[in-house]
Amino acid sequence: MDKKNALRAGAVSAGTALMMLLMTSPALALTRDDGDDPGPGLSIGETLGLYVALPIVIFLIITGLVMVGDKSHKQQNQG
């Protein structure tokens, strides 16, 4: 009885997923919408700088500011 319910639940899930995939339309990314005005693309260097290097630099700046603030707080407590 337990295998039968599991098999039925699997079949319903698979059928539902298949129907959802068949009913969805493609993204139509190549079709331009009204008012769509994309700019020039980014180069590999610009992409890496914007999405990798810049967040790391910002993180290091924030970390440095926190460390400086923490050290000055500890020095005031000792004196």
Side-chain angles (χ1 to χ4, degrees), residues 32 35-43 46:
R32 297 283 181 219
D36 190 13
D37 189 20
L42 296 175
S43 69
E46 291 171 333

Side-chain angles (χ1 to χ4, degrees), residues 18-62:
L18 181 63
M19 289 303 294
M20 287 176 59
L21 285 173
L22 291 174
M23 302 278 292
T24 56
S25 61
L28 300 173
L30 296 177
T31 305
R32 297 283 181 219
D33 291 331
D34 290 339
D36 190 13
D37 189 20
L42 296 175
S43 69
I44 294 175
E46 291 171 333
T47 303
L48 289 175
L50 185 62
Y51 295 109
V52 177
L54 188 63
I56 291 172
V57 169
I58 292 172
F59 173 78
L60 292 175
I61 290 171
I62 293 172

